[in-house]
Amino acid sequence: MLSENSSAVPVPPGQFRSTLPLELDDPVVTVDEQAETHEPSSDENPSISYVVQKGDMLSTIFDLLHISQSTLYKLMEADVNLLALDTIQPGHQLGFNFDENGLKQFIFRSGLTYKVVFDRGEKGDFEFKEYIEKGGYRREIISGTVEGDLPRSMKRAGARIAEAYQVTHLLKERMNFRSHLRAGDKFQLAVSRQYVNGEYTGSSIIEGFVYDGAIRKQSAFLFDDNYFDAEGESLEKAFQRIPLAKRYRISSSFNPKRRHPITKMIRPHNGTDFAVGIGTPVLAAGDGVVSRVIKHRYAGLYIEIQHNRKYKTRYLHLSKAYVRKGQKVSRGQKIAASGNSGRSTGAHLHYELHVNGRPVNAMTAPIPVVQTIPRNKRGAFKQQVALIKSQMAEQLAQAEKQ
Ligand SMILES: [Zn+2]
């Protein structure tokens, strides 16, 4: 299990350790089910692990280990469809396995649940596999009353502060958290928290929230990956399906099982390619904050937008960016001009949508484009709301007994 490894041999930040605690287990979940089984590295190979510290860059860490720049480029080439290595952060764990030809295997781990293993293939190229610890989600019900602001009242009742902010973000279009709140207002939260070996991973899914106030009643329920009020009206701002002003031909579709035509290695295509000429305006798919504007050797100039905790979009091979990191953007805003930068076989826009950190097919994924629950799903939605509400009532009854 991932967390056993990470806790068994703690590596002090910024120091290399010469026995690799990151040995490979069977993946709990591999994203690519077609992936071949993994051969663990043999024991006679020297192995090194490293915990990223503040100010570290991948290139300097590689320099210290005398790993060539061309090897780093090959890793980046494999990473082009993942872009996991562009934002290494303090606390991320890196693992290295070598053989007589140099770096044989590179392991990137972030948090308790996420690991990517890059393996060198016969032609010297790297192939990656992602390992995601699913952990177990446990639904918990939290009840409380307002005293002061809502996040702090929720925290006092047992919610995590990040969960409380998710709730206020969700309801920000519907509620004014100053004028609508009264001391003594009641609220209930249904939240599913992820645990791996009993340890909370930091991932929480808000499943329901009911606010019963003196002057305001409001609720939010998760259904089909989107949030609705109890009447089935969407709480989230809509996305546009295509980040362009009109429909263009799709030159390459989303395909997580794509193989490289020559090397036959799995090179997932985590986006949708639109055949657009250089200079075509690229539009933000939804409201959000620009989280990356990066020039990448293979992805070219690319932009990433974080829309909320759940949705992220990426726009690759651009010729020009009209936004900078940290900037707020709104749906439909012109953020860039398309191009042909990085490694690209011709002018096109490569567009990615990530939901909860996973790339999904942006052309078919259930994004909030709907404003209300469709008629044929009303029954299922009502059942889901009734289930959450009964669990909330049960929790309240038990709390009152004590
Ligand atoms: Zn593409």
Side-chain angles (χ1 to χ4, degrees), residues 139 207-208 221-224 378-390:
R139 186 179 293 159
E207 305 227 45
F221 295 96
L222 179 65
F223 181 74
D224 260 5
R378 291 239 145 203
F381 173 69
K382 280 190 175 147
Q383 273 181 19
Q384 170 72 1
V385 170
L387 172 71
I388 299 277
K389 280 189 167 170
S390 75

Side-chain angles (χ1 to χ4, degrees), residues 156-402:
R156 211 176 305 113
R160 288 166 193 274
I161 200 72
E163 295 165 354
Y165 285 131
Q166 274 188 66
V167 167
T168 54
H169 183 83
L170 209 53
L171 295 176
K172 70 177 192 307
E173 307 285 328
R174 300 289 189 96
M175 272 181 83
N176 182 320
F177 293 102
R178 286 173 200 273
S179 61
H180 290 154
L181 258 56
R182 290 292 177 273
D185 282 359
K186 291 185 171 62
F187 60 81
Q188 282 196 292
L189 171 71
V191 57
S192 283
R193 291 172 175 160
Q194 188 190 38
Y195 295 88
V196 171
N197 298 331
E199 215 177 319
Y200 175 60
T201 64
S203 171
S204 295
I205 299 169
I206 306 297
E207 305 227 45
F209 180 75
V210 174
Y211 190 87
D212 184 7
I215 55 168
R216 195 76 174 179
K217 294 186 197 316
Q218 185 65 57
S219 53
F221 295 96
L222 179 65
F223 181 74
D224 260 5
D225 282 328
N226 292 308
Y227 286 96
F228 299 90
D229 65 16
E231 281 69 53
E233 296 289 321
S234 176
L235 293 172
E236 294 175 289
K237 281 203 168 172
F239 266 63
Q240 58 187 67
R241 185 67 76 182
I242 292 165
L244 295 160
K246 61 180 178 99
R247 234 171 218 287
Y248 286 86
R249 185 173 64 83
I250 291 174
S251 51
S252 178
S253 297
F254 179 83
N255 180 5
K257 304 227 192 306
R258 183 179 67 168
R259 280 179 188 272
H260 190 280
I262 298 154
T263 65
K264 302 289 178 214
M265 294 208 280
I266 293 168
R267 286 272 189 270
H269 188 235
N270 284 339
T272 304
D273 290 349
F274 295 97
V276 291
I278 292 173
T280 307
V282 177
L283 315 177
D287 293 2
V289 175
V290 176
S291 46
R292 296 184 193 176
V293 179
I294 287 179
K295 259 186 197 155
H296 186 283
R297 192 176 170 85
Y298 301 103
L301 174 63
Y302 78 92
I303 293 176
E304 180 184 274
I305 300 175
Q306 190 77 46
H307 297 281
N308 50 38
R309 274 177 65 93
K310 207 167 95 186
Y311 299 103
K312 199 164 69 182
T313 51
R314 285 176 182 165
Y315 313 79
L316 273 59
H317 307 302
L318 304 171
S319 60
K320 226 178 194 142
Y322 300 127
V323 291
R324 55 198 153 61
K325 194 183 164 186
Q327 188 177 330
K328 272 191 180 171
V329 293
S330 49
R331 178 169 63 120
Q333 183 179 333
K334 191 161 101 175
I335 53 165
S338 73
N340 195 20
S341 60
R343 189 171 63 187
S344 168
T345 48
H348 74 286
L349 173 70
H350 171 105
Y351 172 59
E352 294 181 11
L353 170 68
H354 297 237
V355 179
N356 293 321
R358 315 294 321 135
V360 297
N361 187 344
M363 299 303 102
T364 56
I367 52 174
V369 286
V370 293
Q371 287 308 308
T372 53
I373 292 194
R375 196 176 287 268
N376 62 349
K377 287 190 169 172
R378 291 239 145 203
F381 173 69
K382 280 190 175 147
Q383 273 181 19
Q384 170 72 1
V385 170
L387 172 71
I388 299 277
K389 280 189 167 170
S390 75
Q391 288 178 353
M392 285 177 166
E394 196 179 314
Q395 192 269 353
L396 215 52
Q398 289 204 344
E400 275 164 10
K401 252 190 245 166
Q402 286 165 0

Side-chain angles (χ1 to χ4, degrees), residues 117-177:
V117 177
F118 296 85
D119 278 302
R120 199 184 66 222
E122 276 169 24
K123 296 196 170 70
D125 287 338
F126 283 87
E127 178 179 3
F128 73 79
K129 289 189 186 73
E130 270 182 303
Y131 296 75
I132 297 161
E133 174 70 77
K134 259 195 171 157
Y137 275 91
R138 233 181 12 235
R139 186 179 293 159
E140 289 162 41
I141 308 283
I142 289 157
S143 306
T145 52
V146 169
E147 206 180 295
D149 66 18
L150 187 60
R152 263 176 289 185
S153 304
M154 288 180 68
K155 188 163 183 274
R156 211 176 305 113
R160 288 166 193 274
I161 200 72
E163 295 165 354
Y165 285 131
Q166 274 188 66
V167 167
T168 54
H169 183 83
L170 209 53
L171 295 176
K172 70 177 192 307
E173 307 285 328
R174 300 289 189 96
M175 272 181 83
N176 182 320
F177 293 102

